[in-house]
Each structure stands twice: as C-alpha cells, then as structure tokens.
Amino acid sequence: MRNTDEQAGMGRMLEDIRREILYTADETGLTRFHKTVMDAMASVPRLQFVPQGLETAAFDNGPLPIGHGQTISQPYIVALMSELLHVGKESVVLEVGTGSGYQAAVLSQLVKQVYSLELVPELAGEALERLHRLGYHNVEVRQGDGYHGWAEHAPYDGIIVTAAAPHIPRALIDQLRDGARLVIPVGEAYGSQRLLVVTKHADKLDERIVLPVAFVPLRHSTLDRPSTLH
Ligand code: SAH
C-alpha cells in the first residue's frame, strides 16, 4: 500500500469512528472522545497489525481475522474502550487479550506502561515482536490466562479485557486500584454481550452497561504455567 493510500485510509477510519461516536451517543452518553484518544488512534498504523492479504481492509471500521480463530478489534471499539478507561500519562494498565497488539499500541500512547496477557503463545510472540519492531517499548506481553490477571504489577490504574467473559473475573477486581476502572465485555460466547465499565470502590463495585457488543470469547487456559516472553 502506498503512503498516500495509507494516509487516505487513516483519514477515512477516523471519520468513521467520529460518525459511530455520534450514532451511539444515546447509549454511551458520549458525543466526542478526548483528543488524546483520537490522536492515539491516528498515530498507530493499523496496517501494520493486520495479516498479509487484508491490507486493503486495514482501515475499515470493522474487526478482521488474525488467525487462531481470533480477531483484531473494530477501530471504534478500540477508541471507545480506551476512552472509557479514564487513564492518563502516569497510568499503568493491564490488557487481557493482546491479539495483534493493536489495542495495546493505542493504549501505550496514552499511559506510562501497558502489560498485556495473551492466551495463545503464537499470538503473544508475534504481537511482542511487532510491538517492539514498531517502537512501542512501554508494552510488555506475556503468554498467560487473563482470568488470573498479572499479579506482579498490580494494582493497575485501569484494566481492559478484549474478549467476552461469562462473568467478571475475581482476580481482575483484586488487581484493580481503588477508584480505577475495568472495561470488559460480559456475556455468552457468540451470543448476547454487553460492554461494562466496572469502577472499584473500597467496599463495592459500580457497574455500568455501555453498549451491546460482539467479542470473541475469553477462554480458560489448559496450560499449567505461563511463560514469560522477552
Ligand atoms: N486486543 C486485540 C483483540 C484481541 S481478540 C487486538 O487489538 O488485536 C481477543 C484475544 O483474547 C485473542 O487473541 C484471544 O486469544 C485472547 N484470549 C482469549 N482468552 C484469553 C485468556 N483467558 N487470557 C488471555 N487472552 C485470552
């Protein structure tokens, strides 16, 4: 893809995101996203995160297959989840479901450090290689089961889950800083799902439903011990 095509594609993608923000405003309560979020979306070359052969669809506002039955999320959803996290330059965040690494790259532009867990070893390895090759050095990727979170770096200033869970995993709540948010799709695998924002308060959780969504399922690990990738 030529450079000018890529610029035009990015322009179209940002326009489509803005249009969908307005289209969903009644449900989300948001008529615009922060400039920092839109700038992060504009700065990450989605083309670099999609598989060969799908280049012409790289800037479409939809999910795309990345192998292993998984997908790179829709750009609007990546922007929305980044917006809902309410994080800033000093934040340390956890992502569950690295996939292509695209959402992690967008978050890396907004926060100090991103830790990202991916269940499928091949995807974890490819995403780590891609993120480092593209210069996203404040992202660490580890193969592991997101149901257990990543206790070593907790508590987190925000946690984002990019696969649909049947319930809110307890470990993720435990690893969330007081007052911080968990953004997570909850619902049936390939069935009815809702994007939730869960805010942790000392003795209770505040849950807000944002939008109906369609994510691949959060799966349980059959591996005993996760390994760390460098
Ligand atoms: N954030 C990704 C989209 C990922 S799709 C991107 O921007 O490209 C969801 C990902 O979650 C898949 O890669 C899937 O393998 C992973 N996944 C599923 N169950 C998981 C689990 N229990 N722990 C960690 N990752 C999981």
Side-chain angles (χ1 to χ4, degrees), residues 66 70-73 95-104 117-120 123 144-147 162-163 216-220:
I66 55 169
Q70 306 306 321
T71 55
I72 173 173
S73 303
E95 178 193 29
V96 172
T98 318
S100 68
Y102 179 64
Q103 171 79 74
L117 283 170
E118 169 56 52
L119 190 62
V120 179
L123 288 177
D145 184 345
Y147 274 102
T162 67
V216 295
L218 189 70
R219 294 178 299 144
H220 276 288

Side-chain angles (χ1 to χ4, degrees), residues 50-57:
V50 305
Q52 270 184 1
L54 292 178
E55 288 89 348
T56 55

